[in-house]
Amino acid sequence: ARVAEQGKDGGSAQLADEQEQTAAAEKLGIAAIRYFDMKQNRTSNYVFNYDKMLDPKGNSAVYLFYAYARIRAIQRKSGVDPSKLNIAELKIAEPAERELALKLLQFPDVIEAILQDLHLHRLCEYLWELCGTLTTFYNQCKVLGGAEESSRLVICEATRAVLAKSFFLLGFEPLERI
């Protein structure tokens, strides 16, 4: 329904095929509900809210899926096979690159903490922070078309891999396009 509304306003959707839209809506809807449930601290009161579940700019599966799809779009546009990237080309020069790299390095610690106390909301908090850091990186560092392209594609792929692993752990199937 939101895609149809976007079209009425003169906007365009990435998923023009109706079957593709329906499949994406189902995946996103399931992920939105699951993520909203799992981001709650299991020892706190639960407040159900559709608007927060589907907020594309808030702490929601929609926001996380958008970040994943954006990485995939950059990878497609680059024309470079992510499996062929050389990690040795990673060079951290900008503060936003450093912040993203440091956030990625926290992933094993987050998983270890979850295994210790079974507070799954820690992974959701981490993903929200990771995607916020990724957005800052996008806004401050041009990924495609510069001397740093290979390095920045490496860090994008590392981020995509962490998101993909996290989605698997949370029971989500990521969308390649939104």
Side-chain angles (χ1 to χ4, degrees):
R2 289 180 189 232
V3 172
E5 287 299 316
Q6 187 178 17
K8 287 179 189 174
D9 294 336
S12 64
Q14 292 292 324
L15 304 174
D17 179 87
E18 193 171 328
Q19 282 184 311
E20 203 176 8
Q21 287 177 12
T22 302
E26 184 174 331
K27 288 178 187 177
L28 192 52
I30 291 168
I33 293 168
R34 284 184 180 172
Y35 182 81
F36 189 79
D37 284 349
M38 289 184 270
K39 79 174 187 173
Q40 311 287 325
N41 185 333
R42 63 181 167 83
T43 60
S44 300
N45 290 333
Y46 183 89
V47 178
F48 186 86
N49 186 318
Y50 272 125
D51 292 331
K52 286 185 179 179
M53 255 184 225
L54 299 172
D55 184 0
K57 296 182 181 169
N59 187 358
S60 67
V62 176
Y63 182 72
L64 304 181
F65 274 38
Y66 175 75
Y68 185 91
R70 190 167 182 190
I71 292 170
R72 296 298 290 144
I74 287 171
Q75 290 174 331
R76 283 189 301 276
K77 191 173 180 180
S78 76
V80 176
D81 180 354
S83 67
K84 305 284 191 233
L85 291 170
N86 182 357
I87 195 164
E89 293 180 14
L90 179 63
K91 292 173 184 58
I92 305 297
E94 297 294 323
E97 291 172 317
R98 182 177 187 278
E99 290 303 314
L100 183 55
L102 290 172
K103 185 55 74 177
L104 290 169
L105 290 172
Q106 293 173 5
F107 182 64
D109 296 332
V110 170
I111 298 301
E112 184 64 35
I114 292 167
L115 292 173
Q116 294 299 317
D117 63 16
L118 302 178
H119 283 275
L120 191 57
H121 72 278
R122 292 178 190 271
L123 181 56
C124 297
E125 288 171 2
Y126 169 77
L127 291 173
W128 164 245
E129 292 169 6
L130 176 63
C131 289
T133 305
L134 179 65
T135 299
T136 300
F137 167 76
Y138 286 143
N139 291 334
Q140 296 179 7
C141 301
K142 183 178 178 184
V143 177
L144 300 177
E148 305 86 2
E149 181 175 315
S150 293
S151 175
R152 291 183 178 164
L153 284 171
V154 168
I155 202 164
C156 283
E157 174 56 18
T159 305
R160 188 213 57 82
V162 167
L163 287 172
K165 178 59 75 177
S166 298
F167 290 166
F168 172 78
L169 293 171
L170 294 172
F172 306 161
E173 186 178 341
L175 297 173
E176 298 291 311
R177 299 174 197 272
I178 290 188

